[in-house]
Amino acid sequence: MLCLPAAPGLHRFRSPSDIAAIAVRGAADGPTLLVSAGVHGDEYEGVRAIFETVEALDAGALRGTLLTVPVLNYPAHRAVTRHHPADGANLARQFPGRADGTASERLAHAFSTDFLPHADFYLDLHSGGIRFAMPSMAGYEAADPRGRAAAEAFGAPVIWGHPVIEPGRTISAARALGIPFLYTEARGAGRIHPEDLLMMRRGITNLMRHLGMLDGAPEIPAPPRRLHGIGNTDEGVYAAAGGFFMPSVALLDSVRAGEPIGRIVDQLGDVLATPVAPADGVVGLLRELPPVDEGDVLLLVATPEEA
């Protein structure tokens, strides 16, 4: 496990395993908030949010430490791909990793051993990437009141409680260590939307206020829309054929079980498959990159908490 800088102020450094990190050490003692981004190489909102947050943070007003890893999966980031180019693996399914494993497993192990043990709270910043659209949201473990309280304080327009936290994720590794956590999603598309950047910057600051690291109450722009259900992007409606996907629903639309959610056509426009919603609910993830292969995830359905 790495040693954190002891002197107050802004510190840029590399861990013993060569993971680039930035820490802001406060003038007074307090908790450590660990924030990571760039687990997937095609997600950029969190990277910029971290850079701008640490640059603007006044260490003299901070209690504790903001510890950040702006680009965890740097090889994928440089290759502009979701998965690690060395092994083709999804880093968000490799945790806690192995010291003698594949490139992704070694990276997961390094983060799990060097960084996670320092955290009193962990935030992992994600978005839809190039392929998917996701609501601008904070996700949490439904059974953990610490996560629910933090999600309410984060200030996202949507909060999504999950009954199950799947193995292999950064947050499942945090959970195994007893560390409370949140993760975010945003609309993605390989671009940084100003509203999502604002949400993440404000959310990091809100978490520091929630944890007592900064004075003041969290700034909540509006009451969030609350969803419930599985949030695993590897599950949902799968493409029954390869082709060109033309969705007929939009993010957060209400759908009914069995309702067509679009069609997959060939190069002449002939329909190859008509995927349908698997359950009643709202669209929580939607593939927006039109070319699809058989087996690709097209859509996830979430349940409004009020239902």
Side-chain angles (χ1 to χ4, degrees):
M1 186 171 71
L2 79 148
C3 295
L4 294 185
L10 175 66
H11 305 269
R12 294 181 170 91
F13 60 95
R14 291 183 176 272
S15 73
S17 52
D18 203 36
I19 295 174
I22 308 172
V24 182
R25 172 75 176 182
D29 291 337
T32 295
L33 171 61
L34 171 62
V35 184
S36 65
V39 168
H40 296 125
D42 62 347
E43 300 174 5
Y44 308 111
E45 297 88 338
V47 178
R48 182 166 172 177
I50 287 175
F51 287 148
E52 293 188 359
T53 298
V54 297
E55 289 168 357
L57 186 58
D58 177 8
L62 179 67
R63 292 179 288 275
T65 302
L66 175 63
L67 173 62
T68 73
V69 176
V71 187
L72 179 53
N73 195 346
Y74 189 70
H77 175 81
R78 292 300 303 159
V80 193
T81 180
R82 179 176 175 84
H83 295 166
H84 198 299
D87 55 22
N90 181 354
L91 180 59
R93 300 295 178 269
Q94 307 305 312
F95 285 82
R98 293 190 303 138
D100 60 348
T102 65
S104 294
E105 288 173 331
R106 294 195 302 272
L107 182 55
H109 178 265
F111 185 75
S112 297
T113 55
D114 284 350
F115 289 89
L116 275 176
H118 285 290
D120 294 297
F121 196 98
Y122 174 51
L123 171 65
D124 194 13
L125 302 172
H126 287 265
S127 74
I130 293 173
R131 291 173 175 80
F132 301 109
M134 295 285 287
S136 301
M137 54 158 280
Y140 64 97
E141 184 178 12
D144 189 345
R146 300 172 299 174
R148 172 65 181 248
E152 296 281 355
F154 190 84
V158 174
I159 62 173
W160 192 339
H162 304 304
V164 175
I165 301 299
E166 297 83 1
R169 302 174 66 179
T170 55
I171 58 175
S172 61
R175 184 179 185 273
L177 295 174
I179 301 165
F181 58 82
L182 289 180
Y183 76 94
T184 69
E185 297 289 357
R187 64 202 82 191
R191 301 291 186 269
I192 300 174
H193 194 285
E195 292 179 3
D196 291 331
L197 179 61
L198 174 61
M199 175 194 75
M200 291 185 183
R201 286 193 57 180
R202 182 181 59 224
I204 296 170
T205 300
N206 278 347
L207 273 182
M208 288 190 284
R209 290 170 174 155
H210 174 71
L211 296 170
M213 298 171 67
L214 291 174
D215 290 336
E219 297 177 3
I220 313 298
R225 185 171 183 177
R226 297 175 175 87
L227 302 179
H228 186 83
I230 294 174
N232 186 353
T233 56
D234 292 338
E235 299 186 15
V237 178
Y238 297 95
F244 190 91
F245 178 49
M246 301 170 64
S248 57
V249 296
L251 205 61
L252 297 178
D253 276 357
S254 295
V255 294
R256 304 285 293 181
E259 172 188 344
I261 55 96
R263 62 191 190 277
I264 299 172
V265 302
D266 64 14
Q267 58 190 339
L268 294 174
D270 289 328
V271 176
L272 301 174
T274 305
V276 300
D280 294 352
V282 299
V283 177
L285 171 145
L286 182 65
R287 183 181 176 101
E288 291 199 338
L289 186 67
V292 297
D293 292 324
E294 183 178 351
D296 283 346
V297 174
L298 303 176
L299 175 142
L300 282 180
V301 173
T303 303
E305 194 172 277
E306 297 77 13

